[in-house]
Amino acid sequence: PTDHPHLLARPPPARRATAFRGASPMAVRAQFESSSEVGVFSRLTNAYCLVALGGSENFYSVFEAELSKHVPVIPASVGGTRIVGRVTVGNRHGLLVPSIATDQEITHLRNSL
């Protein structure tokens, strides 16, 4: 826990957070509905992946299929929006969300991280 309510602190990373070392790089195409701006609708770090709620099952399944062996893939919204990649920033130490994030969303993210 932290003194700042919008900073979600993580415990030290598990060994699986380093699973990409020595692995072959991958490149996979994905599209969120009619948008190719996948970074707007997802946030990928070396420790977790947030994917927007409400998109097509295919969008989520691309992340799940490629990443779930390495990091948790978490469906999420922030402030009721689907632009989780645009409004968050994070790394293996935690996740910073804007003040528009609801208490329910923060609880979901804390429980999932």
Side-chain angles (χ1 to χ4, degrees):
T2 176
D3 294 334
H4 196 286
H6 304 296
L7 181 61
L8 307 179
R10 285 181 56 98
R15 293 292 267 160
R16 71 185 211 170
T18 59
F20 291 110
R21 288 187 188 161
S24 300
M26 66 171 180
V28 179
R29 288 188 174 118
Q31 184 173 333
F32 187 88
E33 295 178 358
S34 61
S35 175
S36 294
E37 301 290 333
V38 296
V40 171
F41 303 100
S42 62
R43 167 69 59 204
L44 176 61
T45 74
N46 63 341
Y48 54 86
C49 177
L50 303 181
V51 179
L53 284 172
S56 70
E57 183 62 32
N58 185 48
F59 184 73
Y60 178 81
S61 67
V62 167
F63 290 91
E64 183 74 12
E66 297 297 329
L67 299 174
S68 64
K69 294 176 190 165
H70 307 288
V71 296
V73 178
I74 305 162
S77 65
V78 176
T81 71
R82 302 183 300 177
I83 57 171
V84 297
R86 177 65 80 194
V87 298
T88 62
V89 63
N91 60 25
R92 64 187 175 92
H93 299 291
L95 175 67
L96 183 63
V97 300
S99 60
I100 62 170
T102 66
D103 292 342
Q104 183 179 5
E105 290 167 335
I106 291 173
T107 298
H108 168 66
L109 290 167
R110 281 187 174 143
N111 292 338
S112 299
L113 294 175

